[in-house]
Amino acid sequence: MEDIIYLGWKINIPSHRPKELFAVPNQVRALRLALNLTQREVAARAGITRQTLSLIEKNDYNPSLKLCLQLCYILNATLDQVFWVAPTEEI
């Protein structure tokens, strides 16, 4: 078991699947590539590190709503185009 802090709560989760439990799929990488932007360029505009953007693209980091919106503005896309999860999809 692994302990994580989520919204101020300490949660015990199996260590073999911790990231999958909270990761939300996104289209950041696909949209960035369609605009011919590098990770470094997008990260600089968003005020984050390239490493953080890489983690977001790999679904290993859930950005705040403010950061999600900033990425949407940079990628010329709406929130639902970038971060939407269909009701039938498993998060």
Side-chain angles (χ1 to χ4, degrees), residues 21-80:
L21 293 177
F22 297 104
V24 176
N26 66 71
Q27 299 299 314
V28 173
R29 183 174 192 273
L31 293 167
R32 176 180 62 77
L33 292 175
L35 294 171
N36 293 318
L37 295 171
T38 66
Q39 284 184 338
R40 193 173 309 277
E41 291 169 325
V42 173
R45 291 183 194 178
I48 58 176
T49 65
R50 186 202 56 77
Q51 292 84 353
T52 298
L53 183 61
S54 175
L55 291 173
I56 292 169
E57 290 183 352
K58 294 187 299 185
N59 297 322
D60 286 343
Y61 178 87
N62 282 328
S64 67
L65 178 58
K66 183 178 178 181
L67 180 52
C68 288
L69 292 171
Q70 185 65 27
L71 291 170
C72 289
Y73 299 143
I74 294 166
L75 299 171
N76 298 317
T78 61
L79 190 60
D80 62 325

